[in-house]
Amino acid sequence: MDAIGRNRFLRTLGERVRGERARRGMSRKLLAKHAGISERYVTQLESGKGNVSIVLLNQIASALGLPLSRLFEGDESPAGFLARLSPEQQAEAYALLAATFAGDKMASRARRVALIGLRGAGKTTLGGTLAEQLQVPFFELDREIERVAGMSVGQVLELYGQQAWRRYELQALQELLRDRPSFVVAAGGSIVAEPATYELLLRSCLTVWVKTSPEEHMARVIAQGDQRPMADSSRAMDDLRRILQEREPLYARADFAVDTTGVPPEQNVAEILRWISR
C-alpha cells in the first residue's frame, strides 16, 4: 500500500471508530478506559494519524461491543444499509416494509409506547404523565437493566463494559415485552446503536422520538447534575452535536416525533395522545 492509500485507509478507519463511539454516546476518555489504552491514542486514531496495531484495535472493538471486522468492513447488514440511506429514502423503505409485514402485530404494538431520544430530551417527564393518561405502568429501561443485572448502570459499564450492557439491555426489553401486555417505556438514548435491540423495540412498540435542541439537551443534563456521557470532554457541545448527527437517521425511524424545546410537557403529552388516538 502506497502512502496515499495508507492515509486514506487511516482516515476511513478513524471515521468508523469515531462514528461508532458517537453512536454509543461514549467520550474518548471512556472508550480509552474500557479499551485499556491511552486517550491520546484514541484521539490520534480518530484523526487518521494513529499507528495501527491489530491488538489495540481489537481492544477498541471489544470496548465498543463490535467484532474487529466491523472497523474494517463497515456494517453490511440490512440495518446498516438502511442507516446509510437519506431520511427521505428511509421513510419510503420503512413505509414499504411496514405495509408488507405489519399484519397482526399492529394491535399489540398499539398497547405499548416507547419513547426514544437522547438524554435530556424529556422522555421521563413525558413518559410518566403519558402512562397516567393511558392508565398503564411506566418503566425506564435503564432501571430495568439494573434490575436484571443486579447492579447500577455505572457498575455494569465499569466492571463488564459495553458488551455486557448491551446484553442486559436486550434481556430487559425482552422480559418487559414478555411480562407486560401494555406500558409506556423510556429507552436509553443509545438503544438505537444496537440493531437487534432497536429492531425489537420498533417491531413491538409504537415509538415516539422525543427531541430538543442541542443547547436544551445540555442545559437539562447539567441541571440534573450529570453530564454523562460528555462529562470528560472539554468539547462537550461538539460531542453532543456529533452524537445527535450520528443518531438522527436512527431516531427518525420512530413512528412519531415531538419537539420539547420551549413546549410545556402537558402540551407534548396531548400531542402524543392525539396521535395514538388516530
Side-chain angles (χ1 to χ4, degrees), residues 12 16 19 47 50 61 81 121 125 127 137 145 150 159-160 164 168 180 201 210 219 222 227 240-241 243 267 272:
T12 301
R16 285 180 178 155
S47 66
F81 169 76
T125 300
I145 294 169
L159 294 174
Y160 304 113
Y168 285 130
R180 298 284 183 167
L201 188 78
V210 182
I222 291 174
Q227 296 189 45
L240 176 58
R241 291 183 187 281
I243 291 170
Q267 184 174 327
I272 296 172

Side-chain angles (χ1 to χ4, degrees), residues 85-94:
L85 299 179
S86 70
E88 294 78 12
Q89 291 172 321
Q90 285 187 12
E92 184 179 353
Y94 295 136

Side-chain angles (χ1 to χ4, degrees), residues 60-73:
I60 290 174
S62 178
L64 290 169
L66 297 171
L68 178 60
S69 60
R70 174 80 168 269
L71 297 181
F72 295 99
E73 300 172 1

Side-chain angles (χ1 to χ4, degrees), residues 218-237:
M218 184 63 71
R220 292 174 184 175
V221 171
I222 291 174
Q224 294 170 6
D226 183 358
Q227 296 189 45
R228 182 176 65 93
M230 287 76 65
D232 299 317
S233 175
S234 61
R235 294 168 291 191
M237 185 58 73

Side-chain angles (χ1 to χ4, degrees), residues 32-165:
K33 182 178 180 180
H34 284 305
I37 59 178
S38 71
E39 185 178 357
R40 180 182 179 185
Y41 181 83
V42 175
T43 301
Q44 291 178 335
L45 180 63
E46 291 187 354
S47 66
K49 300 176 183 177
N51 292 317
V52 177
S53 161
I54 292 297
V55 174
L56 295 183
L57 284 178
N58 189 54
Q59 291 173 218
I60 290 174
S62 178
L64 290 169
L66 297 171
L68 178 60
S69 60
R70 174 80 168 269
L71 297 181
F72 295 99
E73 300 172 1
D75 183 358
E76 296 302 326
S77 68
F81 169 76
L82 290 171
R84 286 192 291 274
L85 299 179
S86 70
E88 294 78 12
Q89 291 172 321
Q90 285 187 12
E92 184 179 353
Y94 295 136
L96 178 60
L97 290 170
T100 305
F101 299 110
D104 296 335
K105 292 188 176 180
M106 183 58 71
S108 62
R109 287 181 73 236
R111 298 192 297 269
R112 296 160 170 161
V113 181
L115 307 181
I116 64 172
L118 201 61
R119 188 180 181 197
K123 292 174 295 184
T124 300
T125 300
L126 297 188
T129 304
L130 180 62
E132 288 180 8
Q133 294 290 322
L134 294 173
Q135 298 183 324
V136 298
F138 172 63
F139 299 94
E140 291 185 81
L141 195 56
D142 282 0
R143 303 291 80 76
E144 294 304 297
I145 294 169
E146 290 179 335
R147 177 186 59 78
V148 170
M151 63 185 74
S152 70
V153 170
Q155 288 173 319
V156 173
L157 292 173
E158 179 74 22
L159 294 174
Y160 304 113
Q162 282 280 324
Q163 284 183 303
W165 169 259

